[in-house]
Amino acid sequence: MTRISVVSPGSVSPDVPATGRPHRPVAVHEITLGIESFGDDDAPLVLLVGGTTMLSWPDALCERLAGGGRRVVRYDLRDSGESTTADPQAPAYTLRDLAADAAALADALGGRPAHLAGIGVGGMVAQVAVLDHPGTFSALTLAGTRPVAPGPPDEDLPDHDRATMSRLFARPMPDWTDRAAVAEFAADGAEIRGDDPAAARAVAGRVWDRTPGSAPPVHLANQLGMVFSKLDCTPRWRERLPGITVPALVVHGRRDPFFPVGNGEAIAREIPGARLLVLDGAATTIPDAAVDEVAEAMLTLGQIE
């Protein structure tokens, strides 16, 4: 494990419209996945798994990777964004189905073997996808995630910060039909987590605009990713991590209270040769000030001895 430390990346800039090229949702496994593409279609593919929507990945990072000669495609998980939305309260699919979606999408885009990257719960999808579909992916980046499913973690892994979780869940839910109220709810949550409230407010508004309908469970799935806690995430995959043979990068915020940094450190120890990039001033998101370091690490993944 190679450790890298980035000092105080600062806050995310306010909302700026993405310069990517939206596409119609791509059909895979009898569902559709909403995608957005950046860069040259003939360039090597970097596939970004949303956590749960594609907007979990900053515009600036997508643009920086595209500027580095990559075709970047970020996408929404099922029951979020422009992907198929059925019933977020009772998902009829599993974590392994979401992993299979990532592999099928790489095939559909004609980009295999692809560099796969997952953030948050999307990082769980990415771990399983690389393990279950090894020939499909050439590299793996995991940001702000952990090596076990939602619920109580293994004894050696740090759990969510209790004080932070208490503050987050003590808040009343907003009126999901009110865009401004939802955006303020997101900004307040970001401040509690240690992320930038202005950036969270802007992204939440964009997520709200892409949410199909006003049903509270659908907004929960889009804004908070609550559908993920209802998934069947068996079998365990942590014990299989030493079998990952592609180059791997683990990115984690030093101040992350949701998945504390010990989770990223554990992943980096258990994947052979993985690099660990710790963002000392970051919490649960990738700040714009850290984009260059993260992009450079991703672009050079597999080229470092």
Side-chain angles (χ1 to χ4, degrees), residues 154-197:
D154 294 348
E155 290 185 359
D156 65 318
L157 297 176
D159 202 355
H160 310 309
D161 179 75
R162 290 185 179 181
T164 302
M165 296 302 105
S166 294
R167 292 179 63 195
L168 285 172
F169 288 102
R171 302 174 300 154
M173 291 293 175
D175 175 0
W176 295 112
T177 66
D178 185 336
R179 185 183 190 275
V182 171
E184 285 306 312
F185 179 79
D188 178 67
E191 186 169 17
I192 292 171
R193 294 191 307 272
D195 294 320
D196 181 59

Side-chain angles (χ1 to χ4, degrees), residues 9 33 50 57 80 87 92 95 132 151 172 200 213 219 224 267 277 285-286 296:
L33 298 175
W57 289 101
S80 71
D87 184 1
L95 173 62
D132 283 2
H219 276 285
L224 303 180
I267 295 171
L277 172 59
T285 63
I286 299 174
E296 185 65 21

Side-chain angles (χ1 to χ4, degrees), residues 183-252:
E184 285 306 312
F185 179 79
D188 178 67
E191 186 169 17
I192 292 171
R193 294 191 307 272
D195 294 320
D196 181 59
R201 181 184 297 109
V203 171
R206 292 169 63 188
V207 171
W208 191 93
D209 292 340
R210 301 176 71 249
T211 299
S214 59
V218 178
H219 276 285
L220 281 169
N222 279 262
Q223 296 285 345
L224 303 180
M226 294 300 288
V227 64
F228 215 86
S229 65
K230 302 178 185 297
L231 290 185
D232 176 359
C233 293
T234 56
R236 284 174 55 93
W237 70 88
R238 183 181 181 185
E239 291 75 14
R240 299 170 62 199
L241 292 179
I244 291 177
T245 59
V246 299
L249 169 70
V250 180
V251 179
H252 217 104

Side-chain angles (χ1 to χ4, degrees), residues 45-49 57 75 99 102 113-134 136-143 145-147 237 240-251 264 267-268 270-277 294 297-303:
L45 176 63
V46 178
L47 185 62
L48 306 178
V49 186
W57 289 101
Y75 76 95
H115 179 165
L116 182 66
I119 190 167
V121 293
M124 299 176 189
V125 175
Q127 290 172 70
V128 175
V130 168
L131 287 165
D132 283 2
H133 307 275
T136 304
F137 304 107
S138 59
L140 173 65
T141 294
L142 302 170
T145 191
R146 70 181 189 181
W237 70 88
R240 299 170 62 199
L241 292 179
I244 291 177
T245 59
V246 299
L249 169 70
V250 180
V251 179
I267 295 171
E270 294 171 25
I271 298 177
R275 301 177 62 203
L276 177 63
L277 172 59
V294 174
M298 292 179 69
L299 291 169
T300 58
L301 187 59
Q303 300 175 21

Side-chain angles (χ1 to χ4, degrees), residues 18-40:
T19 58
R21 292 172 286 118
H23 288 255
R24 292 181 179 177
V26 175
V28 299
H29 297 151
E30 300 182 349
I31 54 102
T32 58
L33 298 175
I35 72 167
E36 184 177 29
S37 180
F38 300 73
D40 187 341

